[in-house]
Amino acid sequence: VTIRVGIPRALLYYRFYPLWTTFFTELGAEVVVSEPTTQEIFERGLKKFVGDTCLPMKLVFGHVITLADKVDYLFIPRMVSIEKDAYLCPHFAGLPDVLRALMPDLPPILDTHFNVRKKGVTMKSIYEAGKRFNKNPARVYHAYQKAQKAYQKFLERIRDGITPQEAIQAFDGKEVSLPKERKERLNIALVGNPYTIYDPFSSLNIIQKLRKLGAKIYTSEMIPDEIIEERVRSLSKRIYWTFGKETVGAAFHYLDSKEIDGLIYIISFECGPDSLLKEIVDDKARKNKKAAYMTLVIDEHTGETGINTRLDAFTEMIKRRRNKKVDTS
Amino acid sequence: MGTIGVLGEAIFKRFGREVILPPKTSKKTLTLGSRYSPEFACLPLKVTLGNLIEALEKGADTILMLAASGPCRFGYYATLQNLILKNLDYEYKLITLDYNMPNNLRKLKRLAKGKNWFQIGEAFRFGFLKLLTLEKIEILSHRIRPYEIKKGSTTRAYEEASRIIKKAFSFKKLRQAKREATSLLRKVSQDKTRHPLKVGVVGEVYTVLEPYANLEIETKLGEMGCEVHRPVWATKYMISMLPFFNRWGPRRKYRKSARPYLKQEAGGECIVSIGGTVLYAKRGFDGIVHIAPFTCLPEIVAQGILSKVKKDLGIPILTLVLDEHTAQAGFITRLEAFVDLLERRRRLL
C-alpha cells in the first residue's frame, strides 16, 4: 500500500513543491496536493483560526482541512530556517503545533524539524524527513539527490523568465503557454513573499492582469542568489528573513537596473517582516527615481476593482514617463 | 523599555558618561513614534522610536540599542529606526549590542573611557543589582496591592520606593535604599483576611515590561484584588540573551513545560507565554492574562496554541492585543469582566 502524503497548496509549496514531491515519490509515497485556493477553502480555514494573522497563514488552514480526509500524512515541516544564517518568519516555526492545537482531529503531521541556520543543509535533516518512508539512509540520500536535481531544474526554468507557478506546471508535465511578447512591452518587477504573489487567490491574479496590460513580469526568483546577497550587504545589518532578504535584494536590483520600468511590492496585511522592510524599499525608491514604484497591501477584503484601477494607473503612468523621456532626449 | 533604562544609566554613569534617559513614555511619545514609523510595525517599535526622538531632542548624541537576530522583528529595530532617524536629519552615533560577544566587549571597552576590565565588570554588576533590586520591590508591590485597605496607597508607596532606589549610585547607597524602600512598602496598611485571586500575566516582553504600553495592567489587576505574577522580567530576559544562559538559564523551565504544545522556540517570548501558562495552571492559578502588541509574530503563534492549553488545563485565559489605539475604558471593562468571571468561577469550584 502506498502512503499518501498531503501537501497544502500554500506557503512554501510555491518554493519547494518540486523538491518535496520528487523526494516523497522517490521514497515510494504518493503526493496529494490540495486544490487551488477558492473562497470556500479560505472560509473553511478562517472558521478554525484563532487570533489574527496574515492571509497566507489563514489559507493554510483551509488547505489542510480539505486535505485531511484524503491523506495518511500531512507534510507540514517545521521550517525554522531554510538557509544558513537566516530564518523564516516565526509563524513557520510554530505552524505544525498551531495546526495540531486548533484542529485535533487531523491525520498525523510530518513535522520534520528543519533548521539549517547554523550548519547549512546536513545529512541529518534530510534523513529526518525521509526516515518514515525508508529507513535506509542511502535510499533517502539518493532520493534527496534526485529531488535536488528536480529542484535545480525548476529554479533554472524560473530564471529563464517564467513565474514559479508556471514552473510548477511545467514540472507537473503540463504545457506552459506564455503570452506573446508585444513590441511595446512594459517591464514590471514583482517582489514580495512568494506565497502571497503566486497564489492567484491572494494576489487576485495580479500576474495575469499585468500581462493583459502588456507587461513582462520579472520576479525575485529570477535573480541569482549572489546578486541578492551583494545588494543587501549595503544595509547596516543583514536581513535575517530569507524571503525578506530576497525581496529587498531584488527590489534594490530592479530599482537600479535600466530595463525595468516599474516595481510593485506586494505585501499581505499584517506580514511582520514586510511591515519593516517596506520602509527600507520605500526609502530606496524615494532616492532612486529611475523606476516607478508602488506597494500593494493585500488581504482577504481587497476588492478586485480597486486593484484593477491601481494597476491601470500604474501602467499608464509608466507609459507617460516613457513618452516624456523620448520627448526630452 | 520599562526599567531597563535604569541599567544603562547605572553602568554608563560609572563609566563617567553623561546619560540622557528619554522622558517617561507618554501620549506624546507614542504620537511622535507612530507618526514616523511604518504603518503596520508593531507597537514596541513605535514607542521606542518615540523614546529615541525625545531623547535626541533632549540632547543625546549616542544611542545604545540591543539587537537580537531574528526571527522576531525586534532584531531589525535598530537598523530601521536608524534609517528613519537619519531621514529626519538627526545626528548621533548608533551603537548596537547583539549576540556577537567579542564584538560587544570591544564596543563597551571603547565606551568605558579608559576604565579597566575590572571596573567595567563592577559597573555591570552594580547596574544589574540595581535592576534586580527594582524588580524585587516591584514583586513586593504586587504581593501587597491586593491586600491594601486604601486603594492606590501601594502604588504611591511603590513609586516613592522606586524613586529612592533610582537615586542610589553606589553599592552602599543601594543597600540602604533597598531597606528604606522595603519598609516603605511594608508600611502600607493591609487587610490580611482577604483571599486574592491569583492571576498570571504573560506575553511579549516589551508590552509586559512597559507600563505605558500595557496601560498599567498589573496595577489595575492588583487594585481589582488580584495577586499578579509574571514570568517575564528584564533581568531574566537579559540573562537569557547571554551565551550558555540562553540554553541553561531561566528560560529552560518554560521550554520544558511548553514542550507538549510547542516543540521549538518560535522567537520572542512565545515559549515563555506558553510554558508560563502551563506552570501557572499547574500551580493552581485562577486565570491568565496574555498580552501582545497587534501583529506580534511570536505571540500570534502563542495565542493559537494557548487556546488548546486553555481546554486541556481548564484555566481561563484572556488575550489582550494592544496597539496605539487601545483605549482605557474598553480595556478596563474587559479586565473587570474577566476578574468577575474568575471570582464566580472560584465560588463555583
Side-chain angles (χ1 to χ4, degrees):
Chain A
V1 189
T2 47
I3 305 170
R4 281 163 306 163
V5 178
I7 298 179
R9 193 185 289 262
L11 299 179
L12 294 173
Y13 162 88
Y14 294 98
R15 171 60 58 91
F16 290 122
Y17 172 69
L19 183 90
W20 292 346
T21 310
T22 319
F23 185 67
F24 287 126
T25 322
E26 276 302 310
L27 290 174
E30 186 196 336
V31 173
V32 183
V33 181
S34 56
E35 297 297 307
T37 319
T38 58
Q39 182 69 24
E40 196 211 330
I41 290 182
F42 162 67
E43 274 167 20
R44 282 176 76 180
L46 195 60
K47 274 181 204 141
K48 289 282 177 192
F49 197 76
V50 175
D52 40 13
T53 185
C54 58
L55 179 59
M57 275 293 157
K58 290 176 192 160
L59 289 178
V60 188
F61 278 71
H63 283 287
V64 165
I65 294 169
T66 55
L67 273 176
D69 40 2
K70 290 184 203 150
V71 296
D72 304 315
Y73 286 105
L74 279 166
F75 184 59
I76 319 272
R78 189 189 310 281
M79 299 297 240
V80 180
S81 150
I82 55 171
E83 63 173 336
K84 208 163 176 290
D85 290 326
Y87 289 99
L88 290 180
C89 130
H91 284 312
F92 286 96
L95 185 63
D97 290 315
V98 175
L99 281 169
R100 229 177 265 143
L102 294 175
M103 296 188 276
D105 37 346
L106 286 179
I109 292 176
L110 291 179
D111 59 343
T112 311
H113 188 88
F114 209 73
N115 185 351
V116 296
R117 185 173 67 91
K118 285 194 182 123
K119 296 188 194 117
V121 182
T122 58
M123 246 331 270
K124 203 181 153 214
S125 54
I126 299 161
Y127 183 62
E128 195 67 22
K131 69 179 178 195
R132 223 174 277 214
F133 303 95
N134 202 318
K135 289 253 183 310
N136 182 353
R139 275 294 304 275
V140 174
Y141 189 66
H142 180 71
Y144 175 71
Q145 293 267 303
K146 279 215 159 166
Q148 262 300 337
K149 233 178 251 165
Y151 182 55
Q152 291 308 331
K153 199 167 173 216
F154 165 76
L155 292 181
E156 252 165 53
R157 279 199 183 115
I158 295 174
R159 251 168 241 151
D160 287 344
I162 62 173
T163 66
Q165 240 170 329
E166 288 151 353
I168 286 175
Q169 277 173 21
F171 170 81
D172 279 342
K174 283 181 205 137
E175 193 94 356
V176 177
S177 58
L178 280 174
K180 271 183 203 136
E181 290 194 357
R182 305 187 200 175
K183 241 190 207 162
E184 269 289 295
R185 70 156 201 234
L186 304 170
N187 296 316
I188 292 183
L190 277 182
V191 295
N193 284 328
Y195 43 83
T196 313
I197 303 180
Y198 306 125
D199 186 332
F201 177 82
S202 71
S203 71
L204 296 155
N205 221 346
I206 192 163
I207 292 176
Q208 297 311 326
K209 281 191 173 123
L210 281 168
R211 280 186 178 153
K212 259 186 211 146
L213 291 166
K216 182 170 162 42
I217 304 293
Y218 291 79
T219 63
S220 57
E221 283 89 350
M222 292 175 194
I223 307 175
D225 292 346
E226 304 88 66
I227 294 184
I228 286 184
E229 283 290 343
E230 196 194 311
R231 298 308 310 231
V232 291
R233 217 169 286 152
S234 63
L235 294 164
S236 61
K237 183 175 178 143
R238 197 174 173 278
I239 297 175
Y240 48 73
W241 299 290
T242 300
F243 292 133
K245 188 185 76 194
E246 284 175 12
T247 303
V248 173
F252 280 17
H253 176 77
Y254 284 133
L255 281 170
D256 280 341
S257 88
K258 279 187 192 119
E259 51 188 301
I260 296 298
D261 301 302
L263 176 80
I264 302 181
Y265 186 178
I266 299 181
I267 301 170
S268 46
F269 178 65
E270 280 204 33
C271 174
D274 279 354
S275 70
L276 301 190
L277 300 177
K278 175 177 179 289
E279 196 69 16
I280 293 170
V281 178
D282 280 1
D283 183 66
K284 173 89 178 172
R286 255 195 306 267
K287 287 171 186 161
N288 174 329
K289 302 220 163 63
K290 266 182 246 164
Y293 168 65
M294 166 166 88
T295 50
L296 284 178
V297 180
I298 283 175
D299 71 356
E300 61 269 36
H301 306 297
T302 307
E304 184 121 35
T305 28
I307 292 287
N308 285 345
T309 317
R310 294 198 61 187
L311 292 181
D312 275 342
F314 188 68
T315 45
E316 209 44 50
M317 178 177 79
I318 292 172
K319 281 180 199 154
R320 281 194 200 179
R321 272 172 84 136
R322 248 193 202 170
N323 292 341
K324 236 187 194 169
K325 261 185 214 156
V326 175
D327 287 346
T328 46
S329 57
Chain B
M1 134 171 145
T3 47
I4 250 174
V6 173
L7 174 71
E9 190 192 16
I11 293 172
F12 290 103
K13 274 228 168 122
R14 289 212 150 210
F15 288 170
R17 300 269 177 186
E18 191 194 343
V19 180
I20 297 177
L21 284 181
K24 212 175 168 205
T25 308
S26 65
K27 182 102 194 156
K28 193 181 146 223
T29 317
L30 191 52
T31 318
L32 266 176
S34 28
R35 184 180 306 153
Y36 301 115
S37 301
E39 198 179 349
F40 306 121
C42 36
L43 184 68
L45 181 113
K46 296 180 184 176
V47 182
T48 45
L49 182 68
N51 287 142
L52 290 180
I53 293 178
E54 284 184 325
L56 288 169
E57 294 283 339
K58 266 173 86 179
D61 62 358
T62 307
I63 292 176
L64 182 79
M65 270 200 82
L66 298 175
S69 37
C72 159
R73 274 178 278 184
F74 171 59
Y76 225 73
Y77 277 17
T79 315
L80 194 76
Q81 288 172 334
N82 189 25
L83 181 86
I84 296 171
L85 290 171
K86 287 267 143 85
N87 279 340
L88 291 171
D89 290 331
Y90 284 108
E91 280 189 17
Y92 58 89
K93 221 171 88 196
L94 176 78
I95 297 166
T96 53
L97 298 181
D98 51 24
Y99 286 137
N100 187 347
M101 278 302 149
N103 216 342
N104 287 347
L105 291 177
R106 253 198 304 283
K107 285 179 190 166
L108 281 172
K109 181 84 177 160
R110 221 172 304 141
L111 274 173
K113 265 193 180 169
K115 296 268 188 296
N116 63 31
W117 283 112
F118 176 72
Q119 283 163 318
I120 294 176
E122 280 292 280
F124 266 85
R125 198 162 73 86
F126 174 72
F128 206 76
L129 197 69
K130 191 169 174 185
L131 194 56
L132 204 64
T133 317
L134 263 179
E135 287 185 347
K136 277 190 182 146
I137 293 294
E138 199 182 337
I139 294 178
L140 186 64
S141 82
H142 290 164
R143 297 292 174 281
I144 291 175
R145 197 173 282 115
Y147 297 101
E148 69 184 7
I149 289 169
K150 209 168 138 231
K151 203 174 164 187
S153 52
T154 318
T155 310
R156 261 195 304 282
Y158 167 67
E159 269 164 16
E160 184 54 38
S162 63
R163 214 175 0 255
I164 292 170
I165 291 172
K166 277 179 192 165
K167 268 191 292 195
F169 281 100
S170 70
F171 283 102
K172 200 178 156 204
K173 286 259 174 60
L174 189 63
R175 270 197 301 276
Q176 273 170 10
K178 191 184 171 187
R179 265 198 300 277
E180 230 178 290
T182 317
S183 69
L184 200 69
L185 268 170
R186 286 255 153 81
K187 260 187 248 157
V188 173
S189 50
Q190 302 172 45
D191 172 9
K192 278 288 184 188
T193 56
R194 290 182 200 166
H195 293 284
L197 294 162
K198 273 185 152 183
V199 175
V201 174
V202 299
E204 187 272 335
V205 60
Y206 184 85
T207 38
V208 173
L209 289 183
E210 170 60 51
Y212 184 80
N214 62 35
L215 300 127
E216 295 173 355
I217 186 168
E218 285 160 325
T219 316
K220 284 186 177 127
L221 280 171
E223 284 171 3
M224 287 173 195
C226 303
E227 192 180 303
V228 179
H229 293 248
R230 69 179 206 222
V232 183
W233 292 94
T235 46
K236 283 189 187 172
Y237 177 75
M238 275 183 296
I239 288 175
S240 44
M241 273 177 89
L242 298 172
F244 179 75
F245 289 102
N246 50 15
R247 180 116 192 234
W248 301 99
R251 277 175 103 104
R252 193 172 157 75
K253 68 174 179 201
Y254 300 115
R255 251 195 304 258
K256 218 169 142 194
S257 53
R259 191 130 180 96
Y261 300 96
L262 181 69
K263 291 198 184 108
Q264 156 76 28
E265 288 234 24
E269 270 56 56
C270 183
I271 206 123
V272 179
S273 294
I274 295 165
T277 305
V278 173
L279 280 181
Y280 287 152
K282 284 186 181 152
R283 274 163 57 189
F285 273 47
D286 294 285
I288 303 289
V289 180
H290 173 223
I291 51 181
F294 181 55
T295 75
C296 175
L297 302 170
E299 295 305 322
I300 293 173
V301 176
Q303 194 187 351
I305 293 169
L306 280 180
S307 66
K308 177 149 195 303
V309 178
K310 178 158 68 178
K311 265 181 231 151
D312 286 1
L313 301 175
I315 186 164
I317 300 175
L318 173 70
T319 299
L320 292 169
V321 178
L322 305 158
D323 71 357
E324 63 269 35
H325 305 298
T326 309
Q328 284 272 356
F331 189 75
I332 293 175
T333 314
R334 293 189 66 186
L335 277 185
E336 277 174 349
F338 186 65
V339 172
D340 242 23
L341 176 136
L342 297 185
E343 264 164 13
R344 267 178 215 206
R345 196 165 164 273
R346 179 185 260 189
R347 255 178 274 146
L348 285 175
L349 286 175

